[in-house]
């Protein structure tokens, strides 16, 4: 048989909080009940998610997770980000809920991905469909460090270890470091600082970007990263 559909069933502390958050991301409620067990079904186009409420559930201890494969992670991320800006005035990058940025994942054969961490502590891991050409393997010292940090923080949730390897690399600059990758590392370090509620370090990292000299070509390559930096700066205000 073909055309089967799998719908993840994920835990949460409050289905009402789940409905509110996913409504911000453009989901509609397809089913909701309180008795005998609180649960809710949500849908955004072909994306279906269901949640069940557990009394006393601690989202920080959740292992809930699922994969979402899409042909255009950038467009889906833009839609989610627009919903967050409309509802919260910013893209949520710290606390719970929050959302990471689309980045190539070396632990997914170079395919791009981002994660939504919802109020239930569930990781909705969005990946570019494997039919799409993956990003080439990172080249250069900083690019490799950045790739490792992305796996640690965005895939495994180990922000502390990701911070340590980024700080180690930033503390030992080398003459042949690619300035565009240097900007990407600083912006990602600022994003992780915000995830740790370290506004001082986030501000410092964004300020350091302004001291990196870029030519016209490098400025063009760095444009998407500067957009992320602008989002982070707005969130710090």
């Amino acid at each position: 048989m073909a055309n089967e559909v799998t719908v993840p069933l994920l835990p949460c502390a409050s289905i009402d909080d789940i409905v509110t958050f996913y409504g911000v991301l453009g989901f509609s409620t397809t089913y909701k009940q309180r008795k005998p067990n609180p649960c809710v079904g949500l849908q955004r186009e072909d994306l279906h998610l269901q949640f069940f409420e557990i009394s006393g559930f601690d989202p920080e201890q959740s292992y809930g997770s699922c994969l979402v494969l899409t042909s255009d992670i950038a467009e889906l991320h833009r839609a989610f980000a627009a919903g967050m800006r409309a509802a919260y005035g910013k893209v949520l990058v710290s606390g719970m809920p929050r959302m990471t940025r689309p980045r190539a994942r070396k632990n997914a054969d170079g395919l791009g991905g981002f994660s939504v961490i919802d109020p239930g502590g569930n990781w909705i891991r969005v990946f570019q469909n494997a039919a799409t050409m993956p990003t080439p393997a990172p080249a250069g010292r900083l690019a490799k460090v950045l790739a490792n940090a992305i796996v640690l923080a965005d895939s495994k949730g180990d922000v502390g270890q990701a911070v340590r390897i980024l700080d180690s690399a930033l503390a030992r600059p080398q003459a042949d470091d690619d300035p565009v990758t240097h900007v990407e590392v600083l912006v990602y370090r600022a994003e992780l600082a915000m995830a740790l509620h370290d506004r001082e370090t986030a501000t410092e990292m964004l300020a350091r970007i302004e001291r990196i000299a870029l030519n016209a070509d490098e400025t063009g390559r760095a444009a998407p990263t500067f957009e992320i930096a602008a989002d982070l700066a707005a969130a710090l205000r």
Side-chain angles (χ1 to χ4, degrees):
M1 295 180 66
N3 300 316
E4 292 87 352
V5 176
T6 299
V7 179
L9 189 58
L10 301 167
C12 66
S14 166
I15 58 173
D16 292 332
D17 290 347
I18 288 290
V19 169
T20 298
F21 174 69
Y22 280 96
V24 166
L25 302 187
F27 284 76
S28 59
T29 301
T30 59
Y31 177 80
K32 186 177 182 181
Q33 73 172 37
R34 282 290 175 189
K35 295 180 179 180
N37 303 301
C39 61
V40 66
L42 303 172
Q43 179 179 358
R44 185 186 190 279
E45 298 179 338
D46 292 331
L47 178 52
H48 295 259
L49 299 171
Q50 293 192 13
F51 298 85
F52 59 96
E53 184 177 307
I54 301 175
S55 178
F57 182 75
D58 181 3
E60 293 287 352
Q61 303 302 317
S62 178
Y63 286 91
S65 184
C66 73
L67 299 179
V68 175
L69 303 180
T70 180
S71 60
D72 193 341
I73 59 168
E75 179 57 34
L76 190 58
H77 185 275
R78 277 193 293 269
F80 288 173
M84 287 184 176
R85 291 190 187 99
Y88 310 119
K90 61 184 179 181
V91 177
L92 303 181
V93 297
S94 63
M96 190 180 297
R98 65 185 183 276
M99 180 170 68
T100 67
R101 307 279 178 169
R103 295 185 173 92
R105 306 283 182 85
K106 77 169 193 175
N107 60 333
D109 295 327
L111 295 173
F114 70 93
S115 296
V116 173
I117 299 87
D118 69 24
N122 302 294
W123 284 63
I124 313 302
R125 304 174 187 271
V126 182
F127 282 95
Q128 193 79 27
N129 193 300
T132 308
M133 186 65 68
T135 302
R141 181 186 74 99
L142 286 179
K144 292 176 181 177
V145 168
L146 180 60
N148 289 333
I150 289 169
V151 171
L152 287 166
D154 288 7
S155 291
K156 297 182 178 180
D158 190 349
V159 177
Q161 183 59 25
V163 162
R164 284 188 282 275
I165 67 170
L166 289 177
D167 285 347
S168 177
L170 289 169
R172 298 193 301 273
Q174 296 182 10
D176 60 349
D177 284 340
D178 175 39
V180 175
T181 308
H182 191 181
V183 170
E184 292 172 352
V185 169
L186 288 171
V187 170
Y188 189 52
R189 180 63 182 88
E191 185 175 321
L192 296 184
M194 293 181 68
L196 295 171
H197 307 288
D198 182 358
R199 297 172 63 88
E200 181 178 351
T201 298
T203 301
E204 176 194 345
M205 293 297 152
L206 294 178
R208 287 173 63 175
I209 294 169
E210 299 176 4
R211 300 197 290 270
I212 299 177
L214 300 174
N215 61 32
D217 176 68
E218 291 165 345
T219 300
R221 288 167 49 208
T225 308
F226 285 127
E227 291 180 9
I228 297 173
D231 266 349
L232 296 176
L236 284 168
R237 296 192 189 105

